Amino acid sequence: MSNPAQRLSLRRPDDWHVHLRDGAVLQAVAPATARQFARAIVMPNLSPPVTTVAAAEAYRERIRAAVPAGCGFTPLLTAYLTDTIDPAEIERGFNAGVFTACKLYPAHATTNAAAGVSDLARITPVLETLERIGMPLLVHGEVTDAAIDIFDREAVFVERHLAPLLRRHSALKVVLEHITTAEAADFVATGGPNLAATITPHHLHINRNAMFQGGLRPDFYCLPVAKRERHRLALRAAATSGDPSFFLGTDSAPHLRHAKEAACGCAGIFNAPYAIESYAQVFEEEGALERLEAFASLYGPRFYGLPPNEERITLVGEAHTVPARLHLNDAAGEAVELVPFHAGELLRWRLSPEGDV
Ligand code: DOR
Ligand code: ZN
């Protein structure tokens, strides 16, 4: 006699950090996020970046057109901060419900970050505006100083830039995105209610060895780069702790296979297709499945001042192998090739296609 499969019902989660891209690739990747999540904070690092209300509205329409009709997915847009962005434009977009948050990329920190902020002092009026209107600042927390070792860039950013920033703007709501270090986790855990962090599935599963396992493995290269094992364990402890300062943000960042497997491969891991299954596995391994719903579906909306989703999803305890490659149709109907996170691996949980059953 076979045992009935285990089932786990939770409120539909949201993804508080995702890259949906644009153009033909948007059509290929957005459905994966819309299938798993009700809402997503969409990163603005397009080329050119999303810096105006008009650009964000147009992008939001392109996203809506790229997800299946009637799927109920809501994209939440962000403004890309530059040295010269006008605070009045940000405030107008926030009041109009177009911008949910602002994204701070230190200039040159990552993909399409060349137009990012070169010096925090240059955006003081923007930060004062965000503080006044209660609009969250989402931070890519890495220094770009070439003299700082790449594995230390997050911890140095926290000490050199984030701590002083929070002292100067004590009412600012800040999300330190995709944290990768014990230092960042400690800083956020003790930082008070205006400070939170997102944690990706990949930083919970892999440490830096994954990039070099038997050769150079570009599919595990992302920014901030995965760190030592002790940091991964600290992130697992933070994510599963029940501390509302830590919530789900996949940082799913698709690049076509040929752009990853290149002499100068792009940073980013495409984890959207199996994201909730990936997190569920971590929470199960940590003996904390009962805390998955709060991390995935409650603490994010609480920080952003939004209601949690009423709809529910079901995860079924049915092991399945993630495909080695995905061939997804782009806007022109051409198949694009992407390698999903967990390619070729077994995952313990499967998102039920029937919704809450
Ligand atoms: O790995 C990453 N990929 N990290 C980022 O910060 C940006 C992202 C992208 O857009 O490709
Ligand atoms: Zn990102």
Side-chain angles (χ1 to χ4, degrees), residues 17 19 21 43 45-46 103 105 109-113 140 142 178 202-203 221-225 251-255 260 266-269:
H17 183 126
H19 300 266
R21 309 305 192 205
M43 289 297 121
N45 62 332
L46 307 181
K103 179 64 192 271
Y105 288 107
T110 185
T111 310
N112 289 337
H140 182 109
E142 287 193 286
H178 42 54
H202 42 281
H203 291 114
Y221 172 56
C222 64
L223 289 169
V225 73
D251 197 17
S252 181
H255 292 278
K260 293 283 297 169
C266 296
I269 294 181

Side-chain angles (χ1 to χ4, degrees), residues 87 90-91 94 102 123-137 164-174 194:
I90 294 170
E91 184 167 2
F94 184 64
C102 284
I123 58 161
T124 298
V126 171
L127 299 175
E128 286 169 354
T129 300
L130 302 188
E131 204 173 0
R132 175 170 53 77
I133 66 179
M135 182 178 188
L137 177 72
L165 174 89
L166 296 177
R167 283 196 292 272
R168 287 196 301 276
H169 302 277
S170 57
L172 192 60
K173 285 174 79 110
V174 172
N194 286 337

